[in-house]
Amino acid sequence: QEVAWHGRERPGTIVVNVPQRRLYLVEAGGRAIRYGVGVGRAEAMNFRGSAVIGRKEKWPRWTPTGAMMAAMPRYRSYAGGLPGGPGNPLGARALYLYRDGHDTYFRLHGTSEPDSIGHAVSSGCIRLLNQDIIDLYNRVPVGTHVTVVQG
């Protein structure tokens, strides 16, 4: 949905507002495209601050992190990764967040669980409906600035 934008961010910037469960793609002329998102289960799990999109993938492969496998032992069976596809937790597209040239292991990605949008349910990444992440993926290049705010 296109909405009014009153922030200071430059057009082309992505802003994720965790408490609102919203992601905004800032456009020119005081406008933004607003998407609903799912966020991390606990505040400590959520990414915060600034990053850039360092990589983009269609139907990305998912590999749980060591911390995810420790917290949720059922993920250990995926230690070698899960190929991309409709049942993959990263959904149809993924935008990989980097800081100082290094992968943060946080993603903006699709989901195979559309009922999770608007809720705090993930392991910390920001999830969007598959059609929304495809739209966002098509609109933003690698190098796009991303700001994640907690309040």
Side-chain angles (χ1 to χ4, degrees), residues 55-108:
R55 182 164 72 96
K56 297 171 45 169
E57 294 291 333
K58 293 181 179 180
W59 295 108
R61 179 178 191 81
W62 175 70
T63 305
T65 65
M68 289 172 70
M69 289 186 281
M72 292 172 244
R74 70 179 185 271
Y75 288 163
R76 290 182 185 143
S77 62
Y78 300 108
L82 179 65
N88 184 301
L90 295 182
R93 304 288 184 275
L95 305 173
Y96 295 74
L97 301 184
Y98 279 62
R99 266 192 191 148
D100 301 320
H102 300 286
D103 190 350
T104 64
Y105 297 100
F106 286 92
R107 320 287 184 232
L108 308 178

Side-chain angles (χ1 to χ4, degrees), residues 11-147:
T13 301
I14 294 171
V15 178
V16 179
N17 187 305
V18 171
Q20 287 182 3
R21 315 286 200 269
R22 301 280 192 217
L23 180 151
Y24 299 88
L25 175 57
V26 179
E27 297 186 309
R31 306 299 293 170
I33 299 173
R34 181 177 68 193
Y35 305 86
V37 299
V39 299
R41 277 186 285 291
E43 183 177 335
M45 297 178 85
N46 286 308
F47 181 88
R48 63 179 40 164
S50 297
V52 298
I53 296 172
R55 182 164 72 96
K56 297 171 45 169
E57 294 291 333
K58 293 181 179 180
W59 295 108
R61 179 178 191 81
W62 175 70
T63 305
T65 65
M68 289 172 70
M69 289 186 281
M72 292 172 244
R74 70 179 185 271
Y75 288 163
R76 290 182 185 143
S77 62
Y78 300 108
L82 179 65
N88 184 301
L90 295 182
R93 304 288 184 275
L95 305 173
Y96 295 74
L97 301 184
Y98 279 62
R99 266 192 191 148
D100 301 320
H102 300 286
D103 190 350
T104 64
Y105 297 100
F106 286 92
R107 320 287 184 232
L108 308 178
H109 65 81
T111 183
S112 57
E113 300 173 330
D115 292 347
S116 67
I117 301 303
H119 301 283
V121 295
S122 76
S123 294
C125 292
I126 304 298
R127 58 173 65 178
L128 295 86
L129 294 172
N130 276 330
Q131 65 263 26
D132 289 348
I133 193 63
I134 290 170
D135 182 70
L136 185 62
Y137 179 100
N138 289 335
R139 290 176 185 272
V140 299
V142 167
T144 295
H145 289 272
V146 178
T147 301

